[in-house]
Amino acid sequence: MTIREEIERIEERILSPYATLSSRSKGRAHPEEKCSVRTDFQRDRDRIIYSKAFRRLKHKTQVFISPEGDHYRTRLTHTLEVSQIARTIARSLRLNEDLTEAIALGHDLGHTPFGHAGERVLQEICPLGFKHNEQSVRVVEKLEKNGKGLNLTYEVLNGILCHTGEQKAETLEGCIVKFADRIAYINHDIEDAIRGGVISQDELPKSCLKVLGNTSGERINNMIVNIIENSRDKGEISMSDEFREATEELRNFMFRNVYIGSSAKAEEGKAENLIRSLYYKLTEQPELLPAEFYNKIDEEGIERVVCDYIAGMTDRYAINTFNSIFIPARWMRF
């Protein structure tokens, strides 16, 4: 018996009847020989961590564009925080922690530079449309490893696709990540907004704090515990009505006071114009694309290729690319 098989037998013994067992995965689009040490979901987690798209998250906006302070979140730190919250819930409910972690680590791989500002622009101008969750799936299926993709399991792909929007994941592990994502970004964005002077602690709605807690740590812990208590020995992941309503009210507060029109978003108009300018320029002059993207135009179409290229950029790479295309270099004579 291999180590992987031992782990799979342990899962069958100790995990909840509602857990997704590694040994019963629906598999990969391209069948592979099993690893002797790792389960399929553990391999998926590792492939995501080792991917280029994952490394690029460290230079992608969460809320604040190119923040100067060392303690503001990036898309990478957000992803790690989502993973930790999701794992805690999964472990407490005896669900598959490896599957949960893989989904959490991969959920934002398709996010654009400059956060949701970049996503809005691509959704607006690309005829094919754009959603970051769909792009995350595209990244792991078609863009990573020079077009080969990561060949992840069905369950991980489904969880990544369904981490946002109306679609519900087919596994409870995927449902956990959807909750964990919201818990993370609401509370950690509050911390960053307070640190940046965009809002103050006193402005937070008192009715929400009374239910959820006064500090970020209290709220995160209480929300996690509430989900665990309301989901134990059930075939669904849920919050109590009181917590769900307070969470939604706090999220709406953040949209009104931080995510839309606040000083934290003062540079978003510039970021949107940058993305828009790059998109139109590259579709008009595809020869400006790197060779690995230019060579895909016949197969994928110019709109898809340009969208893939821009969505994969970090904030600073997008700025540098814009400068190289639109800003004249200084003439130097020695």
Side-chain angles (χ1 to χ4, degrees):
M1 183 183 297
T2 65
I3 293 174
R4 170 186 53 79
E5 290 170 330
E6 289 180 5
I7 295 171
E8 290 173 345
R9 289 199 175 186
I10 291 171
E11 284 185 357
E12 292 173 2
R13 283 203 316 271
I14 69 173
L15 292 187
S16 162
Y18 301 107
T20 306
L21 299 178
S22 303
S23 60
R24 298 179 192 172
S25 169
K26 293 182 180 179
R28 309 179 187 277
H30 307 288
E32 300 176 5
E33 183 178 348
K34 298 281 188 178
C35 177
S36 63
V37 175
R38 296 168 298 166
T39 68
D40 284 348
F41 298 147
Q42 290 172 339
R43 293 181 84 184
D44 285 359
R45 175 202 58 205
D46 294 351
R47 290 177 184 186
I48 290 168
I49 289 176
Y50 298 143
S51 69
K52 291 179 180 178
F54 185 79
R55 295 196 292 275
R56 290 197 299 269
L57 294 176
K58 67 181 177 179
H59 293 301
K60 290 196 176 192
T61 290
Q62 175 62 16
V63 173
F64 293 87
I65 294 175
S66 302
E68 289 296 329
D70 292 334
H71 299 131
Y72 291 99
R73 267 80 178 184
T74 66
R75 191 62 58 177
L76 178 61
T77 56
H78 162 73
T79 294
L80 296 176
E81 289 165 344
V82 171
S83 175
Q84 185 57 45
I85 291 169
R87 287 175 55 200
T88 298
I89 297 171
R91 187 186 301 124
S92 299
L93 296 176
R94 292 190 298 118
L95 297 176
N96 196 309
E97 193 174 339
D98 295 323
L99 171 58
T100 306
E101 184 178 21
I103 295 169
L105 293 174
H107 83 281
D108 268 355
L109 292 179
H111 238 302
T112 59
F114 312 117
H116 289 286
E119 181 175 22
R120 284 195 302 272
V121 173
L122 291 182
Q123 172 66 21
E124 170 195 329
I125 64 179
C126 180
L128 303 172
F130 184 88
K131 294 181 179 179
H132 79 269
N133 56 319
E134 295 175 357
Q135 188 68 15
S136 294
V137 173
R138 183 168 172 80
V139 166
V140 297
E141 281 194 313
K142 301 201 71 172
L143 301 181
E144 273 293 322
K145 297 185 72 173
N146 299 316
K148 295 179 181 178
L150 302 182
N151 196 29
L152 304 181
T153 56
Y154 174 86
E155 291 80 7
V156 173
L157 293 174
N158 176 259
I160 291 173
L161 178 65
C162 298
H163 84 269
T164 188
E166 298 301 320
Q167 292 177 285
K168 184 177 179 180
E170 295 181 21
T171 65
L172 294 189
E173 291 82 358
C175 294
I176 285 174
V177 173
K178 192 168 191 173
F179 273 98
D181 184 32
R182 181 165 290 197
I183 292 171
Y185 77 69
I186 290 174
N187 288 291
H188 297 145
D189 291 352
I190 287 174
E191 279 192 344
D192 283 357
I194 292 175
R195 179 179 293 113
V198 179
I199 59 174
S200 68
Q201 175 72 22
D202 292 338
E203 292 179 86
L204 297 176
K206 301 296 187 296
S207 58
C208 297
L209 303 187
K210 185 176 180 180
V211 174
L212 302 174
N214 287 310
T215 68
S216 175
E218 288 177 1
R219 288 190 295 273
I220 291 171
N221 182 73
N222 291 338
M223 293 162 90
I224 289 172
V225 170
N226 186 266
I227 290 173
I228 293 168
E229 290 176 345
N230 283 275
S231 306
R232 290 183 67 180
D233 302 319
K234 296 179 182 178
E236 63 177 357
I237 307 298
S238 63
M239 276 182 169
S240 67
D241 290 343
E242 182 184 34
F243 267 68
R244 178 177 49 77
E245 291 168 3
T247 300
E248 190 63 25
E249 184 182 347
L250 193 57
R251 179 174 180 268
N252 291 338
F253 168 85
M254 290 296 289
F255 270 93
R256 291 192 307 270
N257 295 277
V258 178
Y259 299 143
I260 300 175
S262 73
S263 59
K265 299 298 182 179
E267 299 296 299
E268 276 197 350
K270 297 176 185 177
E272 291 172 356
N273 288 335
L274 184 152
I275 297 293
R276 190 176 290 108
S277 299
L278 283 177
Y279 180 86
Y280 288 134
K281 187 68 172 180
L282 292 170
T283 53
E284 292 167 3
Q285 293 182 251
E287 65 273 14
L288 296 173
L289 289 164
E292 63 266 31
F293 286 90
Y294 182 84
N295 294 335
K296 295 178 182 177
I297 292 176
D298 289 342
E299 176 187 354
E300 300 280 0
I302 184 64
E303 291 89 357
R304 181 77 275 163
V305 169
V306 170
C307 200
D308 286 340
Y309 179 48
I310 292 176
M313 292 178 174
T314 61
D315 295 7
R316 64 184 184 179
Y317 184 81
I319 292 170
N320 291 338
T321 303
F322 178 90
N323 287 339
S324 70
I325 292 175
F326 292 101
I327 307 299
R330 291 184 299 168
W331 182 69
M332 301 180 69
R333 181 177 178 181
F334 298 96

